[in-house]
Amino acid sequence: KNEVEQSPQNLTAQEGEFITINCSYSVGISALHWLQQHPGGGIVSLFMLSSGKKKHGRLIATINIQEKHSSLHITASHPRDSAVYICAISLGWGSGGSNYKLTFGKGTLLTVNP
Amino acid sequence: DTGVSQNPRHKITKRGQNVTFRCDPISEHNRLYWYRQTLGQGPEFLTYFQNEAQLEKSRLLSDRFSAERPKGSFSTLEIQRTEQGDSAMYLCASSFPTTGNTIYFGEGSWLTVV
């Protein structure tokens, strides 16, 4: 079983819809990351969370440490939001940078139609 | 500074040939990571450097793979005697503690072994 599970794997929405992508993990973490990957490869970090909620523009990320669950919400979705959204965890604080290496989910392919 | 730079972006090679990828992290980022991503999967950790020291290697990194970061700045990932199973995107990322450990990714280097 993967340490990081995302759902759904694929999501198709109409422009303007509210979108939710879920991420569950099975181990203690220091931080959870939401990342965006467009076709062609490049990955952009959207959020890094250790508790609570963060908002950036139309994107909102929440995390429940006790439940080991995080959600990424997109309000008023737009075709340019179409991408793969990836949840990743890092396992520990401490001085060792290897604690910050990421374990990734498989990603959620979001397609927003006009 | 324009972010994490990787080259070449695309490489097609014949089975058995050696290939080398280069990563230039963001200036002053002391932590550098290599990941591998195959189609439809999330990235998987390969190796981690703090400055010039390679502090962790995944079991995914067989003897045919070697990574270096000789002066603590750019890094190279070499694959010897390539196999078709090596076909993937090789992603480099860097971070620095005082930026809250936000991880910055390069655009990736696509390898196709024919």
Side-chain angles (χ1 to χ4, degrees):
Chain A
K1 187 180 187 299
N2 202 20
E3 287 178 325
V4 183
E5 297 283 350
Q6 284 185 239
S7 63
Q9 284 189 304
N10 294 281
L11 181 56
T12 300
Q14 288 301 120
E15 184 173 356
E17 285 185 0
F18 181 83
I19 287 162
T20 296
I21 299 170
N22 295 300
C23 176
S24 297
Y25 53 93
S26 56
V27 295
I29 65 170
S30 65
L32 183 141
H33 301 250
W34 282 104
L35 307 154
Q36 181 190 57
Q37 186 172 33
H38 281 283
I43 291 179
V44 174
S45 179
L46 299 174
F47 295 104
M48 185 170 68
L49 292 163
S50 55
S51 65
K53 176 179 172 178
K54 286 190 176 180
K55 185 175 188 291
H56 181 69
R58 294 179 295 106
L59 301 178
I60 302 167
T62 64
I63 188 168
N64 184 320
I65 295 292
Q66 287 73 31
E67 298 288 325
K68 293 187 171 59
H69 182 268
S70 175
S71 293
L72 176 68
H73 306 285
I74 304 175
T75 61
S77 59
H78 190 276
R80 65 174 174 266
D81 297 327
S82 298
V84 176
Y85 291 84
I86 306 174
C87 172
I89 58 174
S90 55
L91 299 185
W93 297 117
S95 60
S98 64
N99 291 336
Y100 298 99
K101 71 176 186 284
L102 299 180
T103 301
F104 294 81
K106 291 187 178 181
T108 295
L109 174 60
L110 172 64
T111 303
V112 182
N113 294 318
Chain B
D1 184 58
T2 55
V4 180
S5 175
Q6 292 188 245
N7 65 83
R9 292 292 318 281
H10 302 273
K11 179 73 176 178
I12 300 175
T13 191
K14 290 183 178 179
R15 189 162 52 97
Q17 297 294 305
N18 299 343
V19 297
T20 299
F21 299 111
R22 175 176 170 132
C23 171
D24 287 88
I26 293 172
S27 298
E28 298 174 0
H29 276 197
N30 65 338
R31 295 173 177 167
L32 186 148
Y33 307 82
W34 284 99
Y35 294 89
R36 180 172 69 186
Q37 185 177 24
T38 53
L39 282 175
Q41 302 295 316
E44 297 172 293
F45 171 76
L46 291 179
T47 190
Y48 157 71
F49 290 86
Q50 183 158 307
N51 301 311
E52 66 276 8
Q54 187 175 22
L55 297 185
E56 187 170 348
K57 291 171 61 172
S58 162
R59 276 179 261 175
L60 292 174
L61 224 60
S62 74
D63 291 346
R64 297 183 297 105
F65 287 71
S66 63
E68 294 182 343
R69 193 181 183 198
K71 296 182 181 178
S73 56
F74 72 92
S75 175
T76 58
L77 177 68
E78 181 183 17
I79 309 173
Q80 296 182 323
R81 305 182 303 282
T82 52
E83 302 173 356
Q84 287 188 320
D86 298 331
S87 296
M89 182 168 66
Y90 292 85
L91 280 161
C92 178
S94 69
S95 69
F96 190 69
T98 60
T99 60
N101 289 304
T102 298
I103 294 180
Y104 297 84
F105 287 85
E107 293 289 314
S109 292
W110 285 98
L111 173 65
T112 302
V113 181
V114 297

